[in-house]
Amino acid sequence: HETDWRPLLRWDGTHLVTGLDAVNRIIARAVDEHARVDSVVLSGGGDRIRVVAVVPVGGLLAQVALDLREIRLRHGYLGFRIVRLAVLGGLRLPRAIVEEALERALPDGLLAYRKRGVVVLNLDRWLPRELDLRVVAVQIIGDALHLWVGPGALASIPAAAAPRLAAGDPSP
């Protein structure tokens, strides 16, 4: 009996392009669900991606800008290198501040390689196990976000999540 694994869908690599304005609208909707961040906007050029966030600090809102490079996704892990961090329009801060903030926000899903500026996030909670997805490069060119996706596969349709009971008193 021969057992060769054949995925439901596979690809040999592709180049995906989407408008940066659409990406920022999706990010804005996701941020609206979290009170810890007021807004997040992506911009940049080439492989340097600038993330500008407005976050509450001591009762005030502060603008924080991170420049990221070498964004990669493989085996359910998203990795990137922080090359610059600034607040209040340009005051530079140590990368360790972002690493520590991410560790507090995602204690179970974060690896930070201190002194090298590399951050790796475990995305197992959000990516189904059936998906083998690799992002080998991310760039902003003009007003578009470009993703170069490496070879990958979808083994099968992910199972639906088990229904959850509503919070509250279950008695009639």
Side-chain angles (χ1 to χ4, degrees):
H1 154 61
E2 187 178 315
T3 59
D4 66 342
W5 179 79
R6 291 189 182 163
L8 176 65
L9 177 68
R10 71 176 179 82
W11 51 90
D12 294 325
T14 190
H15 173 209
L16 303 171
V17 181
T18 185
L20 196 52
D21 58 339
V23 172
N24 282 322
R25 280 195 306 271
I26 292 167
I27 291 171
R29 272 186 289 200
V31 166
D32 283 345
E33 297 173 8
H34 301 286
R36 294 182 194 178
V37 179
D38 192 57
S39 69
V40 175
V41 176
L42 295 184
S43 64
D47 70 340
R48 184 178 291 245
I49 309 298
R50 170 153 292 179
V51 180
V52 177
V54 176
V55 296
V57 177
L60 301 172
L61 292 177
Q63 182 174 318
V64 178
L66 272 76
D67 285 355
L68 309 177
R69 284 193 136 159
E70 302 172 32
I71 300 170
R72 306 289 186 268
L73 174 65
R74 187 162 186 182
H75 300 300
Y77 290 89
L78 174 68
F80 53 86
R81 181 178 304 278
I82 300 171
V83 292
R84 184 173 181 269
L85 168 63
V87 296
L88 304 173
L91 177 64
R92 287 186 159 221
L93 293 176
R95 289 186 303 246
I97 291 174
V98 173
E99 293 166 353
E100 289 170 15
L102 286 170
E103 284 175 347
R104 280 192 305 257
L106 301 166
D108 297 334
L110 179 75
L111 301 170
Y113 297 97
R114 298 201 187 274
K115 298 184 182 178
R116 294 192 307 197
V118 175
V119 175
V120 179
L121 300 168
N122 183 344
L123 300 181
D124 281 349
R125 288 184 224 163
W126 298 283
L127 295 176
R129 292 176 195 217
E130 296 86 356
L131 179 64
D132 174 21
L133 178 64
R134 297 176 199 159
V135 174
V136 296
V138 178
Q139 291 186 333
I140 292 179
I141 301 171
D143 62 351
L145 180 71
H146 295 252
L147 296 169
W148 280 267
V149 178
L154 179 64
S156 63
I157 302 295
R164 299 180 126 194
L165 296 175
D169 184 5
S171 60

